[in-house]
Amino acid sequence: MLSMAVFLPLIGSILSGLFPKFLGKKGVVWVPSILCVFSFIISTFLFHDAISGESYEFHIFNWIQSSSINISWSLKLDVLSGIMLFIVSLVSSIIHIYSIGYMSHDPGQARFFSYLSLFTFSMLILVSSSNFVQLFLGWEGVGLCSYLLIGFWYKKNEANNAAIKAFIVNRIGDLGLILGICAIYKTFGSLVYSEVFFRAYSFAPVDILILGQPIPVLELIGFMLFIGAMGKSAQLGLHTWLADAMEGPTPVSALIHAATMVTAGVFLVVRCSPIYEYTTYALGFITIIGALTAIFAASIAITQNDIKKIIAYSTCSQLGYMFFACGVSAYSAGIFHLMTHAFFKALLFLGAGSVIHALSEQNIKNMGGLSKHLPFTCIAMWIGCLALAGIPPFAGFFSKDIILEAAWSSHTLLGSISFYLGIVTAFLTAFYSWRIIFLVFHVSTKNNYEGVRESPMTMLVPIGLLSFGAIFSGWLGLDLVDTTKDFWVDSITVIARHGTLQYTHHVPLLIKLLPTIIAVSGIALAWIIYVKFPKLATIFSIKLRLLYVISYNKYWFDEIYEKYICDPIKSLGKFLWEKGDIQIIDKFGPDGISNFCINFASRLRKLQSGYVYHYAFSMFFGLIIFISWHFLVFLGVY
Amino acid sequence: MTNWPILSLMIFIPFFGAIIISLIGGDPKTVSSNSKIVALWTSLVVLILSIFSWITMPTDGEFYFLEELDLISSIGLSYRLGVDGISLVFILLSTFLVPLCILASWKSITFRVREYMILFLILETLLIGTFCALDLILFYIFFESLLIPMFLIIGIWGGPRRVYAAFKFFLYTLGGSVLFLIAIIVMANVSETFDIRILLNANIPETLQLWLWPAFFVSFAIKTPMWPFHTWLPDAHVEAPTAGSVILAGVLLKVGGYGFIRFSIPMLPYASEYYSLLVYVLSVIAIIYTSLVALMQNDMKKLIAYSSVAHMGYVTLGLFTFKQEGMDGAMTQMISHGIVSAALFLCVGVLYDRKNSRLISDYGGLVLRMPKYALVFMIFLLSSIGLPGTSGFVGEFLILISAYQINEFLALFSGVGIILGACYMLWLYKRVILGSINKKIGDISDIDIREFFIFLPLVVLVLWIGIYPESFISEYRESISNLINSLNERIVIQ
């Protein structure tokens, strides 16, 4: 069962990737989609099994064995992997179906579906792995698929650059992850989850020396794993690739860069909760990075004009929420938000995709009044934004609320800071969401939209399905964060003094209501600025010039990286090549030696002049030296 | 059949093949086509023999298929052959790549075909001999003779600067081997034998080890090549014909690694440990330095050549950790690199055959004209950057894990190579394969059936090692574990 759920998408990928002629024009899109839906159906059963308390590991065959490294290809089912299997296969199936419509005119359909299914497979491997190395395989696999799909339209130079950027920024994180894996092996002598997590607590007091400083070994592991998570989940510093990744087709943005792959970092942290629970600084670091990313990305989103980039920064910001939930030990709240976010963010992207499909335009400044032409899309976007902003009773309300309450009730300095940052972010979130809604759908423009029609059914049905998810998943998923029920069995570890979720029941009413009040005022502000007094937007952008420019230019992260990291690396490479290899090693090495031999030999040759008087002179000269030396010895000078 | 002198057969069949080719008569056209066919069949027979020995040989780390014949008893020189898991995989790598090289040269070599094929078969003889020799002098003879056919292949069928490249290659490697010869004579004098099996567990005095080790090291470091002895490699690769590059990167570089694991480490354990810090530093420099240099190359072959140096940096790093993980990893990395770099050079060869250029700027947007080629290139590229599931990952991962156990920063610095590797490879792919089509290309055809059958076994192996490396690691696991045990015993005693 489990292996079928995981491997069906791989079969789909291979079929449509390598045998497109055999499958025919319809087959290349439908076969992978149907296999993916099958995988979803099986995953649903598996999820059901998992929450009824079943958990097992399925061994396929050995992979890497060396010394005490004993890695096998194996799949693991527990509640955490069950819920991830469910979310991933569900969203993947929906995106597959949506893509049938969206990509119908693209000549590279077979390739597209092959990549998409390969991605689904990698993601399923990632979440169902039972050891760190197979997790790394899925991790790199999704990175590869992301690279392939961002660069899907390979004729576009921007797409290729964005693809490379995504892969390399992810690789920087991956280095952290792989060093974390090395550290786990050095500490525990094993890379299998069950063996590592079982003994994690006993290593809590163990220190190792780094540059003579004692560092708790679990803190070190925690930091390094989180660097991997930061890369994949586009957290502050390693976030620059996510906005550029929007060069890919929109279904890709929905599936990979919103709903599934970018949440892999959150999954990793939650999976490693038995390690993180015994750390202080690593958890604190996660909290603060999460909270900073949340507000930082939201502050960029409010001034962007590309509809997909706004949603991309919004994703970045929501991932920040998930991380600071994990940072205050509310792992289940993180996964809860991951789930609701998967629905409403995929919905927003698909809605945006529907708009782009209809208009072939991504700049929201050039849109307006589309609610008449795209009524269905408009409603879907409203639902998505309501969920994103956390308005009750939509999905985002439940999950965001519980995260903020958990942050509040952690009663630590970082927890409180992240609570306030989270509240401000909630305000910004509501603001930029309705900026999209008003500018795209409601404010009327002079543009002529005759002939703009809704997308085909294969696109609208998935949007409808996701709308359901965006409305109900929060309410249905409340069990996830209910501390009285043992939902997670033992797939998440929370030690007693970190039980922030239990204290959320004692949060004052004002704190409970604050996120909603803030969200509503954000919407109101957006309404005032963009609908009531449209001139305000320009006035604000002039009055607050500095803030506007900073936000609009995304804090110049790209430019700084380009100037202070990429360029120096390139010039260093050139320097080492031209100066190091050619001017130094070759000049003094092989070329130097051969030149020396030639020079020396040619000078030596001049001695053989052939004139008798030269030879006689040198003989005479040598004789003098020889005799005088003998005299000196004879006289006892030496 | 196990009583047959299977190693001698493998050594001398190519040699006889070469003799047969030299006897072929007729007009030039038949000579060239017949010599190709003879060469191909000869190399295939050797491949089958080597696969047979792979299947039949037990994996308990001992030497098998032993043969012994006294040659000059007064100095103790004898014809002594035998293989264990370590040498067997290198033999497999050689016998696997030679038929591919012959196939790859099918159309691209247009003159002196007979001589070319003879040289390739002789090269195969010498390679197999190098890996099976269990006598120090015999090894030295094979090891040094390797230079001659390679020198001729570069010097005769190479590119415009072939003479410079061939001489640079020859001088570099010869320079190292002079010291090596002196060192083995000294070593054999002290331990009174040339038998490698005895020398593997020899106790050579510590101070002498410290003197002998650098002599060994320079010779193998040049072959590997390690920084700063690497500058011959880019030139040799650029000028060599495609098949020459393939065999050079695929097998000849591995002779250096083989030298470390068979000679330096087991015979001079104390010195190996003493100098290990030096090797770490040079390996890390090699990884970072040559990756950076590779980034800025505009010639595809040069780029891949520099990336080879970086990959071999991982090998030396892994070997000198003296841990099972690291040495297993280094061996796997050598096999993987042998396959992947060979495949990448073949990929460049495909383009060179069509357009006579290796400059990156002469290409672009090839995926539009050559989709199959783009896919194949992508697979090898992914293995080269160490993506899990391909062969490149297994070795790099084991080496990093092992390096981390020695020192965290060692793993960190060598890990930087993983990032840089992705940079130069993906950038290469983008400029050559992706983007809009370069006008200079004009008409270009996708890979044909012959090229498909060259690439197919390589792709299969890349995935096989990536998904089930056990079939290879199990070959040398016991040999390495014996080696490590013997090292530990001797270092404790001393």
Side-chain angles (χ1 to χ4, degrees):
Chain A
M1 283 281 271
L2 184 52
S3 49
M4 262 176 75
V6 174
F7 285 99
L8 280 179
L10 178 66
I11 296 170
S13 166
I14 292 172
L15 283 178
S16 66
L18 296 183
F19 309 105
K21 287 202 181 108
F22 174 72
L23 291 182
K25 214 167 159 28
K26 287 234 156 113
V28 291
V29 299
W30 283 103
V31 169
S33 308
I34 289 169
L35 287 172
C36 197
V37 172
F38 275 136
S39 161
F40 162 64
I41 295 168
I42 300 170
S43 300
T44 315
F45 285 114
L46 290 170
F47 179 41
H48 179 259
D49 288 352
I51 46 180
S52 354
E54 203 173 322
S55 75
Y56 56 83
E57 277 177 33
F58 178 74
H59 173 92
I60 305 173
F61 57 79
N62 291 334
W63 184 15
I64 303 175
Q65 279 168 309
S66 175
S67 184
S68 51
I69 299 174
N70 192 351
I71 308 292
S72 49
W73 292 97
S74 62
L75 303 172
K76 176 191 179 77
L77 182 70
D78 62 358
V79 180
L80 182 58
S81 61
I83 192 167
M84 291 301 290
L85 279 175
F86 174 74
I87 299 171
V88 170
S89 60
L90 172 59
V91 180
S92 291
S93 306
I94 291 174
I95 303 291
H96 268 86
I97 293 167
Y98 179 86
S99 307
I100 295 174
Y102 192 86
M103 302 299 289
S104 56
H105 304 298
D106 199 290
Q109 265 185 344
R111 196 161 55 89
F112 183 80
F113 276 87
S114 172
Y115 292 166
L116 213 54
S117 284
L118 185 65
F119 169 79
T120 310
F121 165 71
S122 309
M123 193 70 201
L124 293 175
I125 282 276
L126 194 162
V127 298
S128 65
S129 159
S130 72
N131 58 59
F132 283 99
V133 186
Q134 201 181 320
L135 170 107
F136 191 70
L137 172 99
W139 191 269
E140 291 272 272
V142 292
L144 167 70
C145 296
S146 160
Y147 162 80
L148 292 172
L149 283 164
I150 295 169
F152 178 75
W153 285 313
Y154 47 72
K155 281 188 224 165
K156 269 165 65 183
N157 198 31
E158 301 83 42
N160 291 327
N161 287 338
I164 292 182
K165 188 171 175 186
F167 197 87
I168 286 165
V169 174
N170 266 301
R171 271 259 151 155
I172 295 169
D174 293 348
L175 178 59
L177 177 59
I178 201 152
L179 290 177
I181 292 174
C182 292
I184 289 173
Y185 180 70
K186 190 180 184 183
T187 313
F188 295 94
S190 169
L191 290 170
V192 179
Y193 289 158
S194 50
E195 291 168 26
V196 172
F197 296 154
F198 181 67
R199 290 188 290 139
Y201 74 94
S202 60
F203 285 93
V206 178
D207 287 353
I208 55 160
L209 289 177
I210 302 271
L211 295 179
Q213 294 291 318
I215 292 173
V217 64
L218 292 184
E219 299 277 5
L220 184 72
I221 294 173
F223 265 106
M224 292 197 287
L225 293 181
F226 182 62
I227 288 173
M230 281 172 70
K232 194 109 292 180
S233 295
Q235 293 298 289
L236 193 58
L238 297 180
H239 66 279
T240 51
W241 65 272
L242 188 62
D244 289 17
M246 297 303 129
E247 290 292 340
T250 307
V252 170
S253 314
L255 177 62
I256 300 186
H257 306 118
T260 53
M261 181 184 92
V262 290
T263 61
V266 182
F267 170 77
L268 175 71
V269 172
V270 177
R271 182 51 97 192
C272 296
S273 62
I275 293 176
Y276 280 110
E277 275 304 284
Y278 298 98
T279 64
T280 315
Y281 298 104
L283 273 186
F285 185 63
I286 294 177
T287 316
I288 199 70
I289 289 287
L292 285 177
T293 308
I295 190 160
F296 164 82
S299 71
I300 295 177
I302 53 175
T303 56
Q304 300 302 307
N305 289 328
D306 183 321
I307 185 167
K308 283 179 76 180
K309 286 215 167 139
I310 301 174
I311 308 178
Y313 278 108
S314 157
T315 305
C316 211
S317 153
Q318 297 300 311
L319 289 165
Y321 274 108
M322 297 175 211
F323 274 116
F324 79 70
C326 297
V328 297
S329 289
Y331 302 100
S332 50
I335 292 288
F336 186 29
H337 196 56
L338 187 159
M339 181 178 83
T340 56
H341 175 260
F343 290 115
F344 63 70
K345 192 51 65 68
L347 173 63
L348 284 174
F349 266 116
L350 295 194
S354 179
V355 173
I356 297 166
H357 191 77
L359 299 183
S360 304
E361 168 70 74
Q362 302 201 7
N363 191 337
I364 55 171
K365 286 274 165 80
N366 300 336
M367 301 177 188
L370 283 169
S371 56
K372 284 172 223 130
H373 303 276
L374 305 170
F376 189 86
T377 308
C378 174
I379 294 168
M381 289 294 273
W382 264 92
I383 295 171
C385 285
L386 286 167
L388 171 62
I391 304 293
F394 293 90
F397 162 73
F398 295 96
S399 53
K400 197 181 282 184
D401 218 35
I402 194 88
I403 288 176
L404 290 171
E405 285 171 17
W408 168 263
S409 34
S410 71
H411 297 298
T412 57
L413 177 65
L414 288 177
S416 317
I417 292 174
S418 59
F419 170 77
Y420 291 114
L421 291 178
I423 290 289
V424 178
T425 308
F427 178 77
L428 295 174
T429 307
F431 177 77
Y432 67 67
S433 305
W434 266 268
R435 181 167 169 259
I436 300 178
I437 294 273
F438 291 136
L439 286 182
V440 174
F441 292 106
H442 298 296
V443 179
S444 54
T445 58
K446 286 163 252 163
N447 289 6
N448 184 9
Y449 287 127
E450 271 174 41
V452 169
R453 269 178 290 119
E454 276 288 10
S455 313
M457 279 313 277
T458 43
M459 287 168 70
L460 295 184
V461 170
I463 292 179
L465 287 174
L466 285 174
S467 304
F468 266 103
I471 298 171
F472 297 112
S473 65
W475 179 68
L476 290 173
L478 272 179
D479 271 2
L480 264 64
V481 286
D482 192 338
T483 45
T484 56
K485 291 183 188 156
D486 188 19
F487 179 84
W488 295 97
V489 196
D490 51 4
S491 57
I492 291 180
T493 306
V494 180
I495 57 174
R497 67 191 153 85
H498 286 169
T500 41
L501 272 183
Q502 271 140 19
Y503 305 127
T504 52
H505 304 294
H506 313 296
V507 169
L509 187 65
L510 179 67
I511 299 297
K512 267 192 186 307
L513 291 178
L514 194 58
T516 315
I517 298 168
I518 286 291
V520 172
S521 47
I523 300 172
L525 184 67
W527 182 75
I528 292 170
I529 292 183
Y530 293 104
V531 181
K532 191 73 182 160
F533 307 105
K535 281 185 189 140
L536 267 180
T538 347
I539 295 172
F540 271 128
S541 64
I542 292 166
K543 289 272 178 199
L544 302 172
R545 188 81 203 149
L546 182 66
L547 292 178
Y548 179 79
V549 169
I550 288 175
S551 159
Y552 185 77
N553 290 303
K554 309 152 203 163
Y555 299 75
W556 292 283
F557 260 93
D558 284 326
E559 288 76 7
I560 291 169
Y561 283 173
E562 183 75 26
K563 187 158 178 210
Y564 293 101
I565 297 179
C566 302
D567 290 350
I569 283 180
K570 281 187 190 167
S571 15
L572 182 62
K574 211 166 173 62
F575 173 81
L576 290 178
W577 176 34
E578 286 171 353
K579 299 284 183 261
D581 265 19
I582 297 172
Q583 298 265 331
I584 295 175
I585 296 179
D586 272 357
K587 195 169 174 185
F588 294 102
D591 293 355
I593 290 171
S594 67
N595 284 339
F596 173 77
C597 288
I598 293 168
N599 286 338
F600 189 69
S602 63
R603 279 183 199 169
L604 215 58
R605 197 177 58 190
K606 284 182 190 150
L607 287 180
Q608 284 131 46
S609 56
Y611 296 115
V612 175
Y613 59 88
H614 279 171
Y615 297 152
F617 176 75
S618 38
M619 230 167 88
F620 179 68
F621 193 70
L623 208 63
I624 289 175
I625 291 173
F626 190 64
I627 291 169
S628 40
W629 185 66
H630 258 267
F631 261 107
L632 289 173
V633 172
F634 181 73
L635 293 173
V637 179
Y638 286 105
Chain B
M1 192 164 163
T2 40
N3 292 331
W4 290 24
I6 194 164
L7 297 181
S8 288
L9 279 178
M10 282 202 285
I11 292 176
F12 287 105
I13 287 175
F15 188 65
F16 284 123
I19 292 174
I20 292 171
I21 292 174
S22 67
L23 297 177
I24 293 173
D27 62 295
K29 216 165 184 184
T30 30
V31 168
S32 81
S33 69
N34 283 344
S35 47
K36 281 182 212 166
I37 291 167
V38 173
L40 183 62
W41 279 107
T42 316
S43 60
L44 285 177
V45 169
V46 181
L47 175 62
I48 291 166
L49 276 177
S50 65
I51 291 175
F52 170 78
S53 54
W54 178 34
I55 295 167
T56 51
M57 198 181 87
T59 57
D60 56 2
E62 297 298 320
F63 284 94
Y64 285 92
F65 306 117
L66 295 168
E67 289 170 38
E68 193 154 359
L69 184 73
D70 273 349
L71 289 181
I72 310 171
S73 43
S74 56
I75 61 163
L77 174 64
S78 53
Y79 176 79
R80 220 179 266 126
L81 301 179
V83 288
D84 67 344
I86 295 175
S87 35
L88 185 68
V89 291
F90 288 114
I91 293 175
L92 278 169
L93 193 61
S94 330
T95 57
F96 171 72
L97 285 177
V98 169
L100 291 183
C101 286
I102 291 170
L103 263 182
S105 320
W106 213 257
K107 284 182 188 158
S108 52
I109 298 299
T110 47
F111 64 100
R112 292 176 191 258
V113 178
R114 184 217 298 257
E115 288 80 358
Y116 184 85
M117 294 298 161
I118 290 175
L119 283 178
F120 253 92
L121 290 179
I122 289 176
L123 191 60
E124 183 169 24
T125 293
L126 297 175
L127 277 172
I128 298 173
T130 309
F131 293 125
C132 325
L134 281 185
D135 185 280
L136 214 44
I137 296 294
L138 193 64
F139 171 82
Y140 185 79
I141 293 169
F142 281 125
F143 179 76
E144 285 311 314
S145 319
L146 277 177
L147 278 181
I148 301 162
M150 203 60 229
F151 172 75
L152 293 175
I153 288 170
I154 298 174
I156 297 174
W157 290 273
R161 286 176 75 229
R162 58 182 180 268
V163 176
Y164 172 76
F167 270 100
K168 201 170 178 183
F169 165 71
F170 198 85
L171 286 180
Y172 246 119
T173 31
L174 199 69
S177 53
V178 173
L179 290 172
F180 182 53
L181 179 63
I182 298 167
I184 57 176
I185 291 171
V186 172
M187 196 163 75
N189 251 333
V190 173
S191 46
E192 293 172 339
T193 179
F194 286 120
D195 190 336
I196 289 175
R197 276 171 303 166
I198 298 171
L199 287 168
L200 284 179
N201 296 304
N203 282 311
I204 294 166
E206 281 177 28
T207 38
L208 186 60
Q209 286 194 20
L210 295 183
W211 282 102
L212 292 178
W213 195 89
F216 276 53
F217 175 75
V218 170
S219 173
F220 297 138
I222 288 174
K223 274 258 161 43
T224 306
M226 289 176 78
W227 188 88
F229 305 110
H230 66 282
T231 57
W232 63 270
L233 187 75
D235 284 316
H237 271 309
V238 167
E239 300 306 325
T242 303
S245 295
V246 168
I247 209 81
L248 187 58
V251 197
L252 278 179
L253 301 190
K254 310 302 174 289
V255 177
Y258 177 72
F260 283 126
I261 198 169
R262 173 98 322 145
F263 298 94
S264 296
I265 296 175
M267 296 182 188
L268 308 168
Y270 171 77
S272 296
E273 192 134 314
Y274 182 85
Y275 289 111
S276 59
L277 186 64
L278 172 74
V279 177
Y280 297 154
V281 171
L282 291 184
S283 305
V284 168
I285 292 178
I287 293 169
I288 296 177
Y289 180 108
T290 49
S291 298
L292 286 171
V293 175
L295 199 59
M296 298 316 291
Q297 297 304 312
N298 36 29
D299 181 313
M300 285 188 260
K301 266 191 159 178
K302 245 185 181 165
L303 192 152
I304 298 166
Y306 274 110
S307 87
S308 289
V309 183
H311 281 120
M312 293 308 282
Y314 282 104
V315 171
T316 46
L317 178 62
L319 287 177
F320 281 82
T321 58
F322 311 113
K323 289 191 190 314
Q324 180 86 41
E325 300 92 335
M327 293 181 118
D328 278 355
M331 286 294 295
T332 320
Q333 173 82 349
M334 277 196 265
I335 303 169
S336 160
H337 177 260
I339 294 165
V340 173
S341 64
L344 286 171
F345 280 119
L346 285 170
C347 283
V348 178
V350 165
L351 294 184
Y352 190 74
D353 284 350
R354 284 165 173 68
K355 290 291 148 196
N356 254 316
S357 167
R358 289 179 312 257
L359 289 184
I360 296 173
S361 53
D362 284 348
Y363 296 96
L366 285 179
V367 64
L368 293 162
R369 300 283 163 84
M370 311 172 74
K372 286 182 212 144
Y373 175 76
L375 175 68
V376 169
F377 198 163
M378 178 50 105
I379 292 171
F380 297 130
L381 175 150
L382 293 176
S383 182
S384 170
I385 64 178
L387 199 87
T390 60
S391 60
F393 172 70
V394 182
E396 268 178 21
F397 173 70
L398 289 174
I399 291 164
L400 276 181
I401 272 216
S402 188
Y404 190 91
Q405 291 183 59
I406 303 278
N407 185 302
E408 287 80 6
F409 291 94
L410 192 57
L412 174 67
F413 290 130
S414 50
V416 172
I418 294 181
I419 301 172
L420 293 173
C423 295
Y424 61 71
M425 274 308 190
L426 292 179
W427 198 27
L428 168 73
Y429 195 78
K430 183 203 140 189
R431 287 178 291 170
V432 174
I433 306 286
L434 304 175
S436 50
I437 203 148
N438 191 330
K439 291 207 179 68
K440 286 185 204 159
I441 296 174
D443 237 15
I444 194 163
S445 56
D446 207 344
I447 49 178
D448 59 24
I449 192 86
R450 174 182 63 93
E451 287 158 339
F452 177 77
F453 278 106
I454 293 174
F455 285 124
L456 184 69
L458 291 163
V459 170
V460 169
L461 267 178
V462 162
L463 295 178
W464 181 0
I465 300 175
I467 293 168
Y468 193 68
E470 186 59 17
S471 19
F472 298 87
I473 297 181
S474 64
E475 285 299 315
Y476 41 76
R477 175 176 298 126
E478 287 306 315
S479 304
I480 288 174
S481 114
N482 290 349
L483 166 61
I484 291 171
N485 289 339
S486 148
L487 284 186
N488 291 338
E489 276 167 25
R490 277 180 289 162
I491 286 175
V492 169
I493 290 167
Q494 289 179 343

